[in-house]
Amino acid sequence: MLGVAYGHLPSASYPLAQGAVRSMKSKPGQIVILNGTPRSGKSSIAQAIQQTFDGVWMNLGVDGFMRMTPEQYLPGIGLRPGGERPDLEPLIVRLYEAMYESIAAHSRLGINVVVDVGHHDAYSEPLHILPRCARKLAGLPVLFVGVRCPIEVIMERRRATGWPVPDDGSIPTPVALWQEVVHTPGIYDMEGDTSQLTPEEGAALIRIRLAEPPRPTAFERLVARVDGALGS
């Protein structure tokens, strides 16, 4: 038994945590959303951001939310394109909205957030989830990053991680569909190709972009695009 009550440690014993908390109080936390297909390298970039960026960076991405989802409602927000589970779609809208409400809450408390996700609208009918989510983050600092990767590299990564890959070199329909729809409409603040960049290099480019954020942001343009289509 260690015999130390960490709750009673003197404040000088954890200056790193104290400094992080003080920095949270001054402004909203930065949000970085990494959007791409499965095996595109989003999670690796998110990990590099957590390890190399200053301050506290929480990962509130799709993998974590899927782990929290009851088995009978899986894959939850990880539902692949193709309209295979229309029974889940109303719940998926709510789950995405809940995830983005959580992202917003973290940011408003001064906590930085990195999100790895695969947005698409190829459900049994269009659900317009991405612009719905963009509205949740109105007024907060958001960088929307397109994480691209050639499908040949995606297939090689699937093979390396134990996923079944056809011997004849063909591309399974779900994999091809992910590649086709995840970057629609393709409005981003920046993009990167993970076949050409290491996770650390991708994170470094994101750090540079954060130093000079775009105006208007991709999320602002996404919302304006929908509002314009609706005539509002």
Side-chain angles (χ1 to χ4, degrees):
M1 197 165 87
L2 291 175
V4 176
Y6 286 98
H8 297 133
L9 283 174
S11 59
S13 300
Y14 40 95
L16 179 62
Q18 280 194 319
V21 171
R22 279 196 297 271
S23 69
M24 291 176 192
K25 297 178 180 179
S26 57
K27 60 181 181 179
Q30 176 67 53
I31 301 166
V32 173
I33 299 175
L34 307 170
N35 186 59
T37 67
R39 303 295 181 278
S40 62
K42 307 182 302 296
S43 298
S44 297
I45 295 174
Q47 186 176 27
I49 287 174
Q50 288 186 297
Q51 292 174 346
T52 63
F53 282 22
D54 295 333
V56 178
W57 284 83
M58 300 298 291
N59 185 339
L60 300 183
V62 61
D63 291 341
F65 272 75
M66 286 179 65
R67 285 193 294 269
M68 292 188 288
T69 302
E71 184 176 356
Q72 63 268 35
Y73 299 110
L74 287 173
I77 65 171
L79 181 64
R80 65 190 186 184
E84 300 170 341
R85 293 292 306 275
D87 58 308
L88 284 181
E89 290 174 8
L91 175 63
I92 288 170
V93 173
R94 292 295 185 91
L95 290 176
Y96 262 113
E97 290 178 332
M99 184 174 78
Y100 273 79
E101 289 278 8
S102 180
I103 294 166
H106 279 70
S107 175
R108 292 187 183 108
L109 289 170
I111 301 173
N112 304 309
V113 182
V114 59
V115 182
D116 56 299
V117 71
H119 274 290
H120 69 83
D121 208 24
Y123 298 98
S124 64
E125 61 182 36
L127 301 178
H128 309 293
I129 288 175
L130 182 55
R132 287 174 187 251
C133 293
R135 291 182 190 278
K136 299 288 184 185
L137 304 186
L140 297 173
V142 185
L143 191 76
F144 192 36
V145 181
V147 180
R148 297 185 179 270
C149 186
I151 199 163
E152 297 80 14
V153 177
I154 294 288
M155 294 301 292
E156 189 55 44
R157 290 175 180 175
R158 288 175 65 89
R159 181 180 291 108
T161 52
W163 285 78
V165 174
D167 294 331
D168 62 2
S170 62
I171 307 297
T173 298
V175 178
L177 192 54
W178 266 118
Q179 196 80 356
E180 178 183 342
V181 302
V182 77
H183 294 297
T184 302
I187 298 174
Y188 292 115
D189 295 309
M190 66 175 291
E191 301 181 38
D193 182 345
T194 61
S195 70
Q196 305 295 320
L197 298 167
T198 67
E200 292 74 21
E201 289 169 341
L205 290 175
I206 289 170
R207 185 198 295 272
I208 292 169
R209 193 68 173 110
L210 287 174
E212 296 184 5
R215 293 289 182 269
T217 67
F219 268 24
E220 289 168 343
R221 287 183 286 144
L222 280 165
V223 170
R225 182 174 180 264
V226 172
D227 287 347
L230 296 176
S232 59

